[in-house]
Amino acid sequence: SELSVSNIKVVTLESEQHRLSNAVGTIGIDHLAYNKRVSQLESTHKDIACKLDVTTAQTDKQMKAVSIALASHGEQIQCEKSQIEQISDILSHQETEIAKTNKSAAFIADTIPIHEERLIQAE
């Protein structure tokens, strides 16, 4: 009777050992699959990081171009404003001169009858 109990224990141990061996094999396969997935994720991460770097560089380049264009446009606006101010000053000066000329013309027009009367009296 002890012999049969021993045999059962040996068979049980062998089947347990076989089951554990299968489990270790499955874990090994799962581990390889996990490593492969990690490698894929790392590769994807590198691709995304690379694309992000390229996009960032392009965006920086575009921002610099826009900034330069804005600065140039700002300078152009300042230059045009300055020209407008100069033209405005010239126009203002001309208006003053026209007003003086109009005043002189009015004075002359006012004095013409007086001169005419003097001419008539002189005759």
Side-chain angles (χ1 to χ4, degrees):
S1 117
E2 274 187 36
L3 196 66
S4 64
V5 171
S6 271
N7 283 345
I8 291 168
K9 283 183 180 176
V10 168
V11 168
T12 305
L13 281 173
E14 283 177 353
S15 74
E16 185 65 17
Q17 196 174 15
H18 183 68
R19 192 184 70 74
L20 287 172
S21 177
N22 283 344
V24 166
T26 304
I27 288 167
I29 291 167
D30 288 346
H31 183 68
L32 287 174
Y34 173 78
N35 281 346
K36 188 176 178 185
R37 182 67 181 139
V38 167
S39 179
Q40 287 172 343
L41 288 172
E42 285 174 346
S43 176
T44 303
H45 179 74
K46 283 179 187 172
D47 287 348
I48 290 169
C50 200
K51 286 176 185 172
L52 184 62
D53 286 347
V54 169
T55 304
T56 301
Q58 288 173 341
T59 304
D60 285 349
K61 194 174 178 183
Q62 288 169 341
M63 286 296 286
K64 283 178 186 169
V66 168
S67 181
I68 289 168
L70 280 173
S72 173
H73 193 62
E75 287 172 13
Q76 189 177 349
I77 287 171
Q78 281 304 114
C79 183
E80 287 175 11
K81 273 176 138 182
S82 178
Q83 288 173 347
I84 288 168
E85 286 170 4
Q86 287 174 350
I87 290 167
S88 180
D89 288 347
I90 291 168
L91 286 174
S92 179
H93 180 71
Q94 286 177 344
E95 281 176 356
T96 304
E97 291 301 311
I98 288 168
K100 285 180 187 175
T101 305
N102 285 344
K103 200 172 182 182
S104 296
F107 176 75
I108 291 168
D110 287 346
T111 57
I112 285 173
I114 297 167
H115 289 299
E116 284 177 346
E117 203 169 306
R118 285 184 186 162
L119 284 172
I120 291 167
Q121 286 175 357
E123 289 175 3

